[in-house]
Amino acid sequence: MPGIYSKWFGVGETAEQVEGFNEAIYKGFYTREEALNWLKEFPPETLLKLAPNLIEYLDEKDDSSPTLAETIAELLKSEKVVMFTDGSTNANSGEGGYGVILKYKESVKELSGGFRKTTNNRMEIIACIEGLRALKKKSDVVVFSDSQYVVNSISKGWAKKWQAQNWMRNDKERAENPDLWTQLLELCNQHNVEFQWVKGHNGTKENERCDQLALEAAQKRNLPADEGFENAKPANPAPLFSAMES
C-alpha cells in the first residue's frame, strides 16, 4: 500500500510494501517533511492514477516532524559524523573564506581558511573538502550546506556526469571548478557521504557559526592564492576569430 512509513522492517512496514514489486518507487528520508516535499514533486494526476490514497498528503502540514536540532541529535546518537559548511567572498576584493563544523558523538571541531582571490562557489566546495579531509578514518557523514550548487551537484550526480564527460557540462560549455570537484568526489568515495541542504541565515546556530568563521578567515592578512582559481583557464573562452562584415 503506498504511503509514508517510519520503519523499514516490521509487520505492515516499508519492506512489505516494496519487496516483490519490480517497479516499486520509494526513497528514505531523515524527516517526514522531506518525505512530503519529495511526494509533492509528483504531478497530482500521476498520484490519482497510481496511488490515489497519497493525495491526502499533498496538503498536509506536518507539525510533528523533528526539528533540525533533533535530527542532528539522532545522527550523532547513531555515531554518524555531522558536518556543517559555509563559504563566503568579498564581492569587491574577491577575498574569500570557508568555515566548517565537525560533530561526532560529544566532540566538536571547527576549521576555517581563506584565499586572496576566489569565488563563493569555490569556498563552498573547499569547505566540504577540508571537512572530509579532517576525518581520520572511513566514516558515515551527513553534510549540511546552504549551497544548492554543492548539494545538487553531488546528490543529483551532476559532478560525476561532468567528470565522465571530461568536465564538459554539454557539447559547448565546460564545467567550472573541475579541480575541486575531482577532490570532493574522491573524498566522497572514501567515506559514506550524504549531502543535505539547509537554508542559510535561518537561525541554525551551526550554519551561522560557519558563516562567521568564513567571514573572519576572509579578513585575515597575507591570504594564500587559490591557485586553482587564479591559474584556471576560462570555462568558456571567447572564440579566436569573430565574424566581420565585409
Side-chain angles (χ1 to χ4, degrees):
M1 172 69 69
I4 297 177
Y5 296 85
S6 60
K7 298 179 181 179
W8 179 257
F9 294 110
V11 178
E13 295 295 344
T14 311
E16 289 188 2
Q17 312 304 320
V18 301
E19 291 180 354
F21 295 91
N22 295 329
E23 298 182 358
I25 299 175
Y26 58 95
K27 191 174 181 180
F29 303 93
Y30 284 112
T31 68
R32 184 182 180 86
E33 182 181 9
E34 291 174 339
L36 290 171
N37 288 336
W38 179 70
L39 183 61
K40 291 174 182 177
E41 294 179 4
F42 291 89
E45 56 270 22
T46 299
L47 296 179
L48 281 170
K49 181 179 179 181
L50 302 178
N53 65 309
L54 295 184
I55 291 294
E56 62 183 272
Y57 290 111
L58 295 183
D59 297 323
E60 178 178 335
K61 295 182 179 179
D62 182 35
D63 296 326
S64 62
S65 58
T67 64
L68 181 57
E70 291 171 336
T71 298
I72 293 171
E74 286 299 316
L75 292 172
L76 294 174
K77 186 177 179 181
S78 62
E79 298 189 357
K80 292 189 176 183
V81 176
V82 173
M83 182 189 305
F84 276 84
T85 65
D86 199 15
S88 176
T89 53
N90 185 315
N92 295 320
S93 64
E95 296 163 337
Y98 65 85
V100 183
I101 294 177
L102 287 164
K103 292 188 172 186
Y104 179 67
K105 295 183 178 180
E106 302 296 326
S107 300
V108 180
K109 184 175 184 178
E110 294 184 345
L111 305 170
S112 64
F115 297 90
R116 68 189 184 192
K117 191 173 183 180
T118 186
T119 68
N120 192 77
N121 282 340
R122 288 183 67 84
M123 291 298 91
E124 297 281 6
I125 304 172
I126 287 178
C128 298
I129 291 172
E130 295 302 325
L132 292 174
R133 276 181 177 167
L135 302 177
K136 303 301 183 183
K137 62 180 181 179
K138 183 173 182 178
S139 305
D140 294 325
V141 190
V142 180
V143 180
F144 290 93
S145 168
D146 62 10
S147 169
Q148 293 195 18
Y149 171 66
V150 170
V151 174
N152 288 335
S153 293
I154 296 296
S155 298
K156 295 186 177 182
W158 298 346
K160 282 187 177 181
K161 181 179 178 181
W162 300 333
Q163 186 180 48
Q165 296 174 169
N166 196 27
W167 298 112
M168 295 293 292
R169 294 180 58 200
N170 50 49
D171 292 339
K172 298 180 180 180
E173 297 178 318
R174 290 178 183 166
E176 296 182 347
N177 308 312
D179 58 320
L180 300 183
W181 288 124
T182 299
Q183 297 176 58
L184 184 55
L185 287 173
E186 182 178 346
L187 287 164
C188 287
N189 287 333
Q190 296 174 17
H191 303 278
N192 299 316
V193 188
E194 179 179 346
F195 283 76
Q196 294 283 329
W197 180 76
V198 61
K199 187 175 182 179
H201 307 290
N202 195 40
T204 303
K205 64 178 183 178
E206 293 89 351
N207 180 257
E208 299 291 349
R209 175 57 178 161
C210 284
D211 180 62
Q212 181 184 15
L213 288 170
L215 289 172
E216 291 175 352
Q219 295 171 3
K220 292 183 178 180
R221 295 183 178 182
N222 301 318
L223 292 172
D226 177 0
E227 296 182 1
F229 173 74
E230 295 192 20
N231 300 329
K233 297 179 181 178
N236 298 293
L240 182 60
F241 298 101
S242 59
M244 299 180 61
E245 294 182 2
S246 59

